[in-house]
Amino acid sequence: MLVLYTIIAAIIAYLIGSIPFAIITSRLFKLQDPRQFGSGNPGATNVLRSGHKIAAALTLFGDAFKGWIAVYLAQQYFPHHTTSIAIVAVAVFLGHLYSVFLSFKGGKGVATAIGVLLACDPMLAIILIIIWLLVFLLFRYSSLAALIAALNAPFLYLILSLQDYRFDGSLFVAILLISILLIYRHKANITKLLTGKEAKFSKKASRKKRH
């Protein structure tokens, strides 16, 4: 029965992850579809390029919250089965990347990944948020900040969990998979970063591009 319940939980988590908050908030505030300007990514950073901070904040919160709530509910229903929790964590992340409501397309998963980690390992999530902020503030590349955070996530989990003897193999695999998927979703950005074609974050530039 555990396998069946885990499959059901994973499907529900995927559907939760599929909720496209960037599209919902943009329509709510009558903004341009975030897939049609800037990076074309339906995520909080691109919504911010519209110049609407409240819409961007709501998108960020929504994308993070859906990652957190899916894992939190799994922790309540499977308190002693970390493998089931890890599967749910990956499922909700996949929902954001390949949303059933967006023809199996979606965002790059940074906020949702943070939401997942806030439920799984709050300290790790806080450290990664700090890393993201520092890199972003220094270089003004959202993609670079996300990539560096993703690259560090599995190693930081190992360091933190081994220090206080709370290492969990299932959770480590989930974090590793999420990191790999997040990096894969940024493959176009990696090419642009390497060739110097990646655009730095600029609300003014994106506004001009829209008109």
Side-chain angles (χ1 to χ4, degrees):
M1 292 300 290
L2 176 62
V3 174
L4 177 61
Y5 290 150
T6 300
I7 292 172
I8 294 172
I11 293 172
I12 293 172
Y14 169 79
L15 292 174
I16 291 173
S18 290
I19 300 172
F21 281 100
I23 308 300
I24 293 171
T25 55
S26 293
R27 289 180 180 175
L28 179 65
F29 290 99
K30 298 181 179 178
L31 304 173
Q32 185 178 1
D33 190 318
R35 294 169 295 179
Q36 297 176 355
F37 67 89
S39 65
N41 178 53
T45 301
N46 209 34
V47 173
L48 184 59
R49 288 189 173 97
S50 71
H52 204 298
K53 294 180 180 179
I54 295 177
L58 287 174
T59 300
L60 178 65
F61 175 80
D63 285 346
F65 180 75
K66 66 186 182 184
W68 178 84
I69 193 63
V71 176
Y72 173 77
L73 291 175
Q75 290 170 333
Q76 305 310 304
Y77 283 100
F78 307 105
H80 307 297
H81 300 283
T82 55
T83 298
S84 297
I85 296 170
I87 290 171
V88 165
V90 175
V92 69
F93 185 71
L94 284 171
H96 180 79
L97 300 189
Y98 305 102
S99 172
V100 68
F101 304 120
L102 299 177
S103 302
F104 299 101
K105 297 179 182 179
K108 295 181 180 177
V110 178
T112 303
I114 289 297
V116 167
L117 292 178
L118 280 170
C120 294
D121 192 323
M123 181 57 68
L124 174 60
I126 291 170
I127 292 173
L128 291 174
I129 289 171
I130 293 172
I131 290 174
W132 190 97
L133 286 172
L134 288 174
V135 175
F136 179 73
L137 291 173
L138 282 172
F139 300 102
R140 305 299 293 178
Y141 289 115
S142 176
S143 57
L144 180 62
L147 287 165
I148 291 178
L151 285 168
N152 279 281
F155 302 105
L156 287 172
Y157 174 74
L158 282 174
I159 294 171
L160 292 171
S161 62
L162 291 176
Q163 281 183 340
D164 52 13
Y165 305 100
R166 58 181 176 79
F167 174 80
D168 183 272
S170 297
L171 181 55
F172 173 72
V173 171
I175 293 173
L176 182 62
L177 284 174
I178 288 172
S179 296
I180 292 172
L181 286 167
L182 197 150
I183 292 169
Y184 172 76
R185 292 289 287 179
H186 281 80
K187 60 184 185 298
N189 301 92
I190 294 173
T191 300
K192 290 180 181 179
L193 285 167
L194 292 174
T195 57
K197 296 179 180 179
E198 180 76 333
K200 290 187 177 182
F201 179 80
S202 171
K203 290 186 291 183
K204 292 182 178 179
S206 58
R207 275 174 162 174
K208 290 178 181 178
K209 186 176 180 180
R210 290 166 56 197
H211 292 295

